[in-house]
Amino acid sequence: MEEGYIHSDINVEASKADRSVWLMKCPPVVSKAWQSSAASASADSPPVSKVVVSLDLLQPDDSSALQFTMEMAGSEIVNIPKSYSLNMSKDFVPMGIFSESNQGRVAVEGKVEHKFDMKPHHANIEEYRKMCRERTNKSMVKNRQIQVLNNDRGVHMRPMPGMMGFITSNSKDKKKAAPVKGADMKRTRRDRGELEDIMFKLFERQPNWTLKQLVQETDQPPQFLKEILNELCVYNKRGTNQGTYELKPEYKKSVEDTDAET
């Protein structure tokens, strides 16, 4: 076996397998901003963001006292928050990071040491709320198109002579199509950012929803909907609202402020 490679059906470069890396879940707007910057990046391009680490000098060895903040730099997206809080977690399934080049070369880039959940900093929650509302309003606008037909005689829109004889009104000869049940219909996933906007709109209407109600309102797969709910909401296991979801405090505050404005 050659050094730095694992042989199976393909060769995998494993020289960086022990390198520690961070895994971060970020909002769609941040991901789009980074992708846009990467597309036009050059050797002299400035960093797209930076991580600020705050620690307690009285307890330098206490990892729980560490605080991480992400600062965006030079984003071209309007109204995108520039400061984000990073919530670190070590309680996750061990994972490795792989990459594949344009030539099909696969490599191990490292193992995940820390996992971060990225959310807007409390100082920018109003700016983030405004951006979400604008995206929601845009997603609800339906673009209608008018197509002009070259054939202005309407030949393709009326039955041709002799075709009427094939149309029968005998109800006995007609086979009734079996209705398609809702559970048998395959639901198509929406864009993640668009679905988040719809969820904020629903929780503006009422504070508590069951999973079944949200599936009916959004027409989304339950498992995909649970992923969004775990990020935005808390599940009530007891009390008067048992079995329902409600927004997390940091998101609930922005929704309440919206209701106060209206």
Side-chain angles (χ1 to χ4, degrees):
M1 180 180 295
E2 298 178 5
E3 183 179 358
Y5 289 88
I6 301 174
H7 287 271
S8 57
D9 294 338
I10 59 174
N11 292 330
V12 180
E13 184 180 354
S15 59
K16 300 178 182 179
D18 294 330
R19 184 176 65 168
S20 297
V21 297
W22 291 359
L23 177 65
M24 182 173 63
K25 180 186 289 186
C26 62
V29 290
V30 177
S31 177
K32 291 179 181 179
W34 285 342
Q35 291 175 2
S36 176
S37 299
S40 58
S42 62
D44 299 331
S45 298
V48 294
S49 60
K50 64 179 180 179
V51 177
V52 180
V53 182
S54 304
L55 55 86
D56 188 351
L57 296 179
L58 300 179
Q59 298 177 329
D61 298 330
D62 186 6
S63 59
S64 62
L66 292 176
Q67 293 184 352
F68 297 85
T69 303
M70 174 74 75
E71 299 289 344
M72 299 289 291
S75 174
E76 298 179 355
I77 299 180
V78 181
N79 294 332
I80 181 174
K82 300 300 186 293
S83 180
Y84 295 84
S85 299
L86 302 180
N87 298 329
M88 184 177 67
S89 172
K90 292 185 178 181
D91 185 16
F92 55 88
V93 177
M95 291 179 285
I97 305 298
F98 293 81
S99 65
E100 183 176 3
S101 66
N102 295 333
Q103 293 75 26
R105 187 181 183 88
V106 180
V108 183
E109 298 296 337
K111 58 182 179 180
V112 177
E113 180 181 6
H114 298 301
K115 180 177 178 295
F116 293 89
D117 290 323
M118 185 177 181
K119 65 178 183 179
H121 199 269
H122 61 82
N124 296 324
I125 193 66
E126 291 298 327
E127 187 178 2
Y128 186 73
R129 178 186 63 81
K130 180 181 178 181
M131 182 190 63
C132 289
R133 289 183 61 85
E134 290 177 353
R135 289 193 312 178
T136 302
N137 294 334
K138 289 181 180 179
S139 65
M140 297 178 65
V141 176
K142 295 183 179 180
N143 295 325
R144 300 182 181 272
Q145 297 181 352
I146 299 176
Q147 183 177 1
V148 180
L149 299 177
N150 294 329
N151 188 336
D152 58 353
R153 293 176 297 173
V155 175
H156 302 292
M157 301 177 63
R158 65 174 183 264
M160 298 297 292
M163 293 182 60
M164 297 299 294
F166 293 100
I167 302 176
T168 175
S169 60
N170 190 354
S171 60
K172 294 182 180 180
D173 297 334
K174 294 181 180 179
K175 294 182 179 180
K176 295 183 179 179
V180 180
K181 296 182 179 179
D184 297 334
M185 297 177 62
K186 186 176 180 180
R187 296 183 171 92
T188 304
R189 290 190 176 192
R190 289 178 176 268
D191 175 73
R192 197 177 190 91
E194 180 183 350
L195 182 56
E196 288 181 0
D197 297 338
I198 294 174
M199 297 293 288
F200 282 123
K201 276 286 186 181
L202 291 174
F203 281 99
E204 285 182 15
R205 190 196 307 173
Q206 67 183 49
N208 295 88
W209 292 86
T210 64
L211 178 60
K212 182 178 180 180
Q213 290 174 329
L214 290 172
V215 169
Q216 294 176 347
E217 289 284 340
T218 61
D219 193 28
Q220 293 295 289
Q223 189 61 37
F224 179 51
L225 202 56
K226 283 183 179 180
E227 296 179 10
I228 305 296
L229 290 171
N230 290 336
E231 295 180 11
L232 304 180
C233 305
V234 293
Y235 181 72
N236 296 309
K237 297 182 179 180
R238 59 181 62 88
T240 56
N241 296 319
Q242 182 179 3
T244 64
Y245 289 89
E246 63 180 72
L247 286 177
K248 290 181 179 180
E250 58 266 28
Y251 298 117
K252 183 185 295 185
K253 180 180 182 299
S254 63
V255 173
E256 290 176 350
D257 293 343
T258 303
D259 293 340
E261 292 176 2
T262 57

